[in-house]
Amino acid sequence: MNNSASNLSTQSFSQLIQGYFGDLTHEELLTVSSYFDEEKLRKNDFFTRTDKVCDKLSIVKSGILRVYALSDGKEITQWIATENFLITEVLGFFFDQPNRWNIQAFTETQLLTITKTNYLKLCSEFPKWNEIEKRFIVKCFGMIEDRVFSHLAMTAEERYDLYFKQNKALFNQVPLQYIASVLGMTPETFSRIRKRRTENS
C-alpha cells in the first residue's frame, strides 16, 4: 500500500479525520493514515460515475466536488462537497451496487483516499475500526435526518438562510442553480429569495 498519507504531518491528518472517525491515539492515527493515499483531480475529472461501482472513499483536503444525477434530461445536484467533507457514493462503496450519482470535481481538488480493498483490510487488521465505523455511520444518519427535517419542516426561506449561514463562501464559487437544487428549489424561487435577502442586508 502507498504510504503517501503517512507522510503528512500527524496533526494535519488528524485535523482531517478526527471529526469523522473520533479520537485516535498517535499510534492509531499512524495506522489509519497508512491506508490512505493522496489523490488529485483536475477540474471536471470524475471521482465516480452513475452506473459504475464506486470503490473509494475520500476526505476533501481542498477543492469542490459536485454530486449530481440526470433525471428526465435535467441535472439534479444532490450535494456540494468542500474542504474537510467526506465523499463517496454510498450504494457503490458500501453495498457494491451501481452508483446512483455522478461525483465530479468542480475545481482542482486534493483528496485523501482509501480504496475499498484497503478499507476492508483496515476493518480486518485494526479491530477498533469497527467501533469507529459505527460512530461514523451514526453521524451520517444524523446528517441525513437533519436534511430530511429541513425539507419537510422548514420553509424555502429558512432552508436558504441556514445553508447560506453554513456555506456563505460557496455562493460565490459555484453556479447558484446548483445550490438551488441542493435546497430543493427551482432557480426562480432561489433567485427571488436571494434578491430579498440582498435588498434587506
Side-chain angles (χ1 to χ4, degrees), residues 4-112:
S4 59
S6 299
N7 295 329
L8 297 171
S9 72
T10 300
Q11 182 180 7
S12 173
F13 191 79
S14 174
Q15 289 172 344
L16 288 169
I17 70 170
Q18 295 285 28
Y20 285 103
F21 304 126
D23 293 329
L24 300 174
T25 66
H26 177 73
E27 290 74 18
E28 290 170 338
L29 189 62
L30 290 176
T31 298
V32 172
S33 68
S34 70
Y35 288 85
F36 283 79
D37 296 324
E38 291 192 82
E39 180 182 6
K40 294 183 179 180
L41 297 177
R42 295 170 298 179
K43 182 178 180 178
N44 296 325
D45 281 352
F46 280 88
F47 178 87
T48 192
R49 291 178 183 262
T50 298
D51 295 329
K52 302 294 184 181
V53 176
C54 184
D55 64 351
K56 57 186 178 179
L57 176 151
S58 299
I59 299 168
V60 183
K61 287 182 63 182
S62 65
I64 300 172
L65 297 106
R66 182 168 73 108
V67 183
Y68 72 96
L70 293 175
S71 177
D72 295 326
K74 296 180 180 179
E75 289 187 354
I76 299 173
T77 300
Q78 188 258 5
W79 192 250
I80 300 170
T82 55
E83 183 178 347
N84 295 336
F85 272 93
L86 194 88
I87 192 78
T88 190
E89 215 290 348
V90 173
L91 286 180
F93 189 80
F94 288 105
F95 301 104
D96 296 317
Q97 296 181 20
N99 303 335
R100 178 179 292 128
W101 303 97
N102 296 296
I103 303 178
Q104 186 177 25
F106 183 75
T107 64
E108 290 193 1
T109 302
Q110 292 184 307
L111 306 167
L112 290 177

Side-chain angles (χ1 to χ4, degrees), residues 137-156:
I137 291 173
V138 167
K139 182 173 182 177
C140 287
F141 272 112
M143 292 172 65
I144 292 170
E145 187 177 69
D146 287 344
R147 189 164 185 203
V148 170
F149 177 84
S150 72
H151 279 71
L152 294 177
M154 298 174 71
T155 66

Side-chain angles (χ1 to χ4, degrees), residues 21 126-136:
F21 304 126
F126 184 50
K128 186 176 178 180
W129 187 257
N130 294 316
E131 173 192 340
I132 294 169
E133 184 183 50
K134 287 178 183 177
R135 293 202 304 266
F136 167 64

